[in-house]
Amino acid sequence: MLNQTTEYQSCIQSSERVSWRLDELLPKDTVLDFSHRFLSDALTGTEDIPFLSAEERLMLNHIRSNSYAHLFLFLEEYAVALAAQRAGLELHGNATHMRALLRFTEEELKHQQLFARFTGVFAKGFKVAPALLDNQVEVARAIMAKSNLGVLIFNLHMELMTQQHYQETVRGNKDETLDPLFCNLLKHHWLEEAQHTRLDFLEAQKILAQAPEALDAALTEYSELLQALRGTLNAQLALDLQTLEKAVGRTFTPTERQQLSESQERSYVWGFIGMGMKAPLFLSRLRALSPLAEQRVLELAPTYYCA
């Protein structure tokens, strides 16, 4: 039998050490500075679009950054459900495990409130009202219809993706002048998600200790969830282009729209799927669960611009 209590206690201690308060990180009266990029171009792919002016490329960066924040709000709807469900399984069981998972739940709710506040502040300051997806509850229910193991692997991907984003495009980025407030949000989001990745892995280990045969089906579910995520990203992309047309005050030609759609689809998919799949810690965690898990993910990688 696994004895993981020390690991769960360590997660609690780390969580307490890096914890932050919403009102201190993003006060309600925050006013955004739209003079700089929010996200790195590595995540938005706006600088290589030749028919957009510099001002229009900056607006697209802002639109994409706002959608990025909203997509975390959107996707963490299922993460809250997952963490709460796993915590509930420890009721009258291991109190340390339950406490760690309840902190996981509370922090995911806080992250949703953080990104909701950001998108609200953004809407007040941006040129036009941004169009954003609003079916997060429906999507969360569809995700949670999968097995806990499949969703834990998917969640591990998503959380380690945030680490890759911060480490590769924010920390040590000397090539771009990014908005410091947005960078600070990403840093603090990642600091708490780092504990969640450990809990995802521990919970996956717990399931596999009881049912090792569940892995194959869970990996199939992970693949299905990536396909569904791609659909969600493309749906938000269509809304981004609507917002951009309103912001720039012109309608793109069919050729321009196709170029925008193709470049932005690649950017979205690489950022949310490819960067998660290639994250070294994600692959090492999968390898620790089973070499089969890592192999299956690497076989999927070319589908998501991750050769």
Side-chain angles (χ1 to χ4, degrees), residues 26-86:
L26 189 67
K28 292 179 181 178
D29 59 354
T30 296
V31 176
L32 298 181
D33 177 3
F34 288 93
S35 64
H36 298 301
R37 296 175 191 165
F38 292 163
L39 278 175
S40 167
D41 190 61
L43 292 176
T44 62
T46 59
E47 289 304 299
D48 292 331
I49 302 173
F51 53 85
L52 295 181
S53 68
E55 181 183 3
E56 290 170 341
R57 289 196 295 270
L58 183 59
M59 280 194 281
L60 179 54
N61 178 280
H62 292 155
I63 291 166
R64 282 290 309 276
S65 300
N66 184 61
S67 295
Y68 178 91
H70 177 71
L71 283 165
F72 279 118
L73 162 66
F74 185 100
L75 291 166
E76 286 184 351
E77 189 74 21
Y78 85 80
V80 170
L82 174 66
Q85 188 175 101
R86 297 305 301 175

Side-chain angles (χ1 to χ4, degrees), residues 136-148:
Q136 60 264 33
V137 174
E138 175 188 346
V139 169
R141 286 174 176 160
I143 292 172
M144 290 303 295
K146 305 290 188 184
S147 71
N148 270 197

Side-chain angles (χ1 to χ4, degrees), residues 8 17 19 36 39 41 63 65 123 138 161 180-181 184 195 201 212 243 273 280 295 299:
Y8 281 85
R17 186 169 58 252
S19 183
H36 298 301
L39 278 175
D41 190 61
I63 291 166
S65 300
E138 175 188 346
M161 173 203 77
L181 182 146
N184 198 40
Q195 318 319 315
F201 178 68
T243 303
I273 302 181
Q295 178 186 340
E299 289 170 357

Side-chain angles (χ1 to χ4, degrees), residues 140-174:
R141 286 174 176 160
I143 292 172
M144 290 303 295
K146 305 290 188 184
S147 71
N148 270 197
L149 183 58
V151 181
L152 283 164
I153 293 171
F154 178 70
N155 205 47
L156 183 63
H157 166 123
M158 295 299 294
E159 290 170 339
L160 287 171
M161 173 203 77
T162 69
Q163 176 172 301
Q164 288 302 109
H165 288 181
Y166 181 73
Q167 291 183 339
E168 291 189 19
T169 73
V170 178
R171 190 171 68 183
N173 184 346
K174 301 186 185 304

